Amino acid sequence: MMRAFEANFNPARIIFGQGTSAQIGDEVARLGCKRALVLSTPFQEGDAQALAQRLGDKAAGVFAGAAMHTPTDVTQRAVAAFHAAGADCTIALGGGSTIGLGKAIANRLDCPQLVIATTYAGSEVTPILGETENGLKTTQRGPKILPEVVIYDPDLTLGLPVGMSVTSGLNAIAHAVEALYAKDRNPVTALQAVEGIRALHTALPLIVATPRDTDARGLALYGSWLCGTVLGTVGMALHHKLCHTLGGSFDMPHAETHAVLIPHTAAYNADAAADDLAPAAALFGSTIGTGLWDFAKSLGAPMSLQSLGMKEADLDRAADIAVQNPYWNPRPIERSAIRALLQSAWAGMRPE
Ligand code: NAD
């Protein structure tokens, strides 16, 4: 029997395919804009400058100061650069950090945003913005935050280092695993989530073997689009709450923390959401927790919070914070069980 559901989908213009980043100038014009401020991290500044050069007079300049967790002081400098350059839209070239900056600017100025996504984190298709001010990370949603145009060009991901490709891909899979049992899931998000996991499950081992395999890179980007889309469509649960806790209060790295935690959080919810998780478990040929853990290990992903620098002495406080204002979750959030989960993830144990 079909369960009852309500469905709300975000508008999206997606351009997918090898070489499609060359269309960015046409897309700026299509939005009715004339001068784009190109955004990047310092690491990708060379690519951003090259893009601005190709855009010619459609580029207002480059702001290459994007940083992890979208610090508001960086946004203030970027907004000043936007005005000084006479820009009327932004192009974020990069991953979640750069896209976060574009979202933060759009949230303040309501200017159109274009994104050329170069990781698998999925932020480009969500109306979600996390910002950091005075060490505190706050998250908000809203229509101004959602980028208007997203380009997925596999050519721009060929150089994403293998380690980052793996953790970013597992970050995307984590979005989809949680979407499968989300309280407000619907039949379409379930299809998108399983297809996203399937694509990344196939692509990531190929990328580890041959990092410049364009077909595998395309498949991974396709999977990340679907996983990001479900992240932006339905609510998240225990896994994302734990990642936000560890990222926000313990400064743990984003994608790596997702990669370590997802086998453990999926195992925590495995019985409570068995039917919803069954198609994903089948892809891994195992129970969901052990299947994800074995898959991550086979890819050479980081396997423990300890290896990411988390201190064992902080686990109690992390459990305390994680059980405060918990997100909805299919299995009740019990402090002792969450503490045990964190211990297991800290030590890198295989979830049973
Ligand atoms: P990132 O954007 O921080 O990128 C990490 C590094 O890799 C940067 O130096 C970047 O310049 C570089 N890089 C990116 N693409 C590259 C490529 N193709 N080749 C070489 N180097 C490349 O990493 P991320 O994991 O994509 O983003 C993490 C941030 O995104 C976090 O702040 C997280 O909170 C946020 N995020 C937000 C959402 C959302 O919906 N709001 C979703 C996912 C992630």
Side-chain angles (χ1 to χ4, degrees):
M1 200 174 96
M2 292 292 293
R3 68 185 271 283
F5 65 89
E6 292 177 12
N8 297 286
F9 296 102
N10 296 312
R13 174 163 169 77
I14 306 296
I15 299 167
F16 185 95
Q18 225 183 329
T20 49
S21 60
Q23 296 176 30
I24 190 76
D26 294 343
E27 291 300 319
V28 169
R30 202 183 144 274
L31 287 170
C33 295
K34 291 194 164 52
R35 286 167 62 77
L37 182 66
V38 180
L39 309 172
S40 76
T41 62
F43 185 76
Q44 288 178 291
E45 179 167 8
D47 294 339
Q49 294 289 1
L51 175 64
Q53 202 126 43
R54 284 202 304 279
L55 277 167
D57 59 9
K58 288 201 185 94
V62 171
F63 180 87
M68 188 83 94
H69 303 311
T70 326
T72 51
D73 57 323
V74 173
T75 302
Q76 278 156 17
R77 283 195 284 119
V79 166
F82 184 97
H83 290 310
D88 56 7
C89 65
T90 59
I91 299 173
L93 173 69
S97 297
T98 306
I99 296 163
L101 176 60
K103 289 174 165 184
I105 296 170
N107 198 35
R108 285 161 177 74
L109 306 181
D110 202 11
C111 59
Q113 337 167 39
L114 304 94
V115 174
I116 303 177
T118 66
T119 72
Y120 309 135
S123 178
E124 64 280 355
V125 282
T126 80
I128 307 166
L129 167 63
E131 292 184 285
T132 321
E133 187 161 14
N134 303 324
L136 267 186
K137 188 162 180 173
T138 53
T139 300
Q140 55 182 311
R141 279 179 176 260
K144 281 192 284 186
I145 294 169
L146 183 74
E148 276 74 5
V149 178
V150 179
I151 293 184
Y152 290 106
D153 183 343
D155 281 349
L156 300 188
T157 62
L158 296 176
L160 186 65
V162 168
M164 273 179 55
S165 302
V166 165
T167 52
S168 193
L170 291 168
N171 182 185
I173 287 175
H175 301 329
V177 168
E178 286 243 291
L180 282 173
Y181 53 64
K183 192 179 182 186
D184 52 354
R185 66 195 181 278
N186 67 61
V188 174
T189 55
L191 290 171
Q192 290 173 318
V194 174
E195 175 66 356
I197 298 170
R198 184 202 64 77
L200 284 156
H201 179 248
T202 304
L204 292 179
L206 298 172
I207 289 170
V208 169
T210 315
R212 299 188 73 82
D213 177 340
T214 312
D215 289 343
R217 289 292 187 178
L219 189 59
L221 262 188
Y222 163 65
S224 76
W225 165 51
L226 293 170
C227 295
T229 297
V230 292
L231 172 71
T233 311
V234 299
M236 294 291 129
L238 171 67
H239 174 79
H240 284 76
K241 173 73 185 186
L242 280 183
C243 289
H244 293 164
T245 300
L246 297 188
S249 301
F250 299 91
D251 206 25
M252 297 292 284
H254 177 83
E256 292 87 340
T257 302
H258 274 273
V260 167
L261 281 181
I262 187 60
H264 300 276
T265 53
Y268 186 95
N269 285 325
D271 289 342
D275 290 348
D276 293 309
L277 286 169
L283 285 171
F284 294 98
S286 178
T287 60
I288 188 74
T290 51
L292 281 163
W293 193 90
D294 292 344
F295 180 61
K297 193 164 176 60
S298 75
L299 298 172
M303 299 306 293
S304 68
L305 295 176
Q306 183 180 20
S307 71
L308 302 182
M310 179 108 193
K311 294 194 191 72
E312 191 172 16
D314 283 335
L315 295 179
D316 274 325
R317 193 159 61 90
D320 289 341
I321 299 171
V323 299
Q324 286 163 14
N325 310 315
Y327 301 173
W328 180 88
N329 193 64
R331 175 178 161 190
I333 304 292
E334 298 151 9
R335 190 197 180 277
S336 61
I338 296 299
R339 178 65 180 79
L341 182 164
L342 286 170
Q343 187 69 38
S344 182
W346 181 82
M349 309 279 285
R350 186 171 186 252
E352 295 306 327

